[in-house]
Amino acid sequence: MMAAAQKPQSRQPEYRDGHGFIAEIIRTNRRKSADIRVEDGAVSVVVPVNTPAEKIDQLLAAKRRWIKEKITLHREMTPASSKRYVSGEAFSYLGRNYRLKVETGNFAPVKLLNGRLVVTVPNGTEQPHMIRNALVRWYKRQAEQKLTEKVNRFVPVVGVEPAGVGIRTFKSRWGSCTAKGKLEFNWQIMMAPNRMVDYVVIHELCHLIRHDHSPEFWREMARVMPDYQRCREWLREYALKLSI
């Protein structure tokens, strides 16, 4: 099995309150300076392993205006959601609906407990935004784990070896296969039923054989997944509902 698609090492999530946003702290040996990122409206700070929390707080305070501008820009560009991010609201994970449970307090990442998606966030006007970001982070973590596992499961069936697996946000596709053979998946596919997720994984693996949608490509799909057409049609019909 290729090393690039092995199960990601688990690390304990670390967060800092930026007063109006929550920043995820990612510690790494591969950096000598800090790097702030705002993706999907969520803030993350990549720092050297031993960076003190106080220094991270100082950096967030210094860059607060820039971060808030980026968050606001993302909100303005994101289509309006019908979600209110309140307790009792349903969110789909692998085709099953789970009810959101919002608790008030110091921020804690989403946990799936007793059939509920539980998130703890401070009270205030920013609460819905923080809840959405917490959910996005949770879905991305599930996608990183589950999609890597599925790739490893289907690699010997398809008979290919991808260069790696990545999780991204795509506006109008579920995945892609790069010219270098890396598979990239849209984290939102985790809202679809399990078989649809299998379809997307197999689809991108088959692109390592045929990098087009020729009859030969679909023959490979049918060989590995005889019911692929049903999954393809399901995703076309329900794509717009797979969003938060």
Side-chain angles (χ1 to χ4, degrees):
M1 198 65 62
M2 65 290 179
Q6 288 175 351
K7 184 178 178 179
Q9 290 185 341
S10 61
R11 56 179 170 79
Q12 192 65 29
E14 181 184 349
Y15 300 92
R16 303 300 296 176
D17 189 344
H19 304 289
F21 61 88
I22 299 296
E24 180 177 9
I25 312 306
I26 302 170
R27 297 182 182 271
T28 176
N29 287 315
R30 291 176 289 182
R31 289 198 66 88
K32 294 184 178 179
S33 60
D35 179 30
I36 299 178
R37 303 169 184 173
V38 183
E39 298 172 339
D40 298 318
V43 183
S44 59
V45 187
V46 184
V47 296
V49 172
N50 295 321
T51 306
E54 294 78 11
K55 188 171 182 180
I56 296 172
D57 289 341
Q58 290 170 5
L59 177 64
L60 290 172
K63 294 289 187 178
R64 189 171 186 276
R65 181 174 178 179
W66 177 83
I67 292 169
K68 293 287 284 183
E69 286 174 353
K70 286 282 189 179
I71 292 172
T72 300
L73 182 63
H74 174 265
R75 285 192 205 174
E76 291 172 350
M77 294 176 65
T78 303
S81 173
S82 60
K83 299 289 189 183
R84 295 169 53 220
Y85 309 104
V86 295
S87 289
E89 213 163 23
F91 291 85
S92 180
Y93 173 58
L94 293 178
R96 179 182 171 187
N97 279 337
Y98 293 90
R99 297 289 175 181
L100 181 66
K101 183 179 181 182
V102 179
E103 297 180 345
T104 302
N106 292 330
F107 177 82
V110 174
K111 295 181 179 66
L112 185 54
L113 296 172
N114 302 319
R116 289 184 176 270
L117 291 168
V118 182
V119 60
T120 305
V121 290
N123 228 329
T125 58
E126 297 290 330
Q127 191 182 74
H129 173 67
M130 288 185 180
I131 293 168
R132 183 186 185 278
N133 282 349
L135 287 165
V136 169
R137 285 187 172 118
W138 183 81
Y139 276 106
K140 283 183 174 180
R141 286 188 184 279
Q142 303 310 307
E144 184 180 21
Q145 177 186 342
K146 297 290 185 183
L147 289 167
T148 301
E149 289 173 357
K150 286 180 180 293
V151 167
N152 284 334
R153 173 150 58 92
F154 288 116
V155 153
V157 182
V158 179
V160 293
E161 285 199 7
V165 176
I167 305 303
R168 288 189 53 190
T169 298
F170 290 107
K171 288 186 177 180
S172 58
R173 61 170 67 180
W174 296 116
S176 73
C177 175
T178 71
K180 293 184 178 180
K182 182 180 180 181
L183 307 185
E184 297 181 325
F185 297 102
N186 187 339
W187 58 269
Q188 288 174 286
I189 192 60
M190 299 308 294
M191 300 177 202
N194 206 44
R195 189 60 174 165
M196 310 308 152
V197 184
D198 288 347
Y199 164 82
V200 171
V201 170
I202 294 168
H203 186 113
E204 298 311 326
L205 283 170
C206 285
H207 274 314
L208 292 170
I209 299 173
R210 295 286 307 192
H211 212 82
D212 54 27
H213 288 113
S214 62
E216 291 83 357
F217 170 83
W218 293 113
R219 276 198 288 273
E220 286 295 330
M221 282 294 300
R223 175 180 67 84
V224 181
M225 190 179 204
D227 63 337
Y228 81 85
Q229 188 66 37
R230 178 181 66 85
C231 299
R232 187 183 182 200
E233 291 171 359
W234 190 98
L235 285 170
R236 281 179 174 174
E237 183 175 353
Y238 293 101
L240 294 178
K241 294 185 178 180
L242 302 179
S243 67
I244 63 169

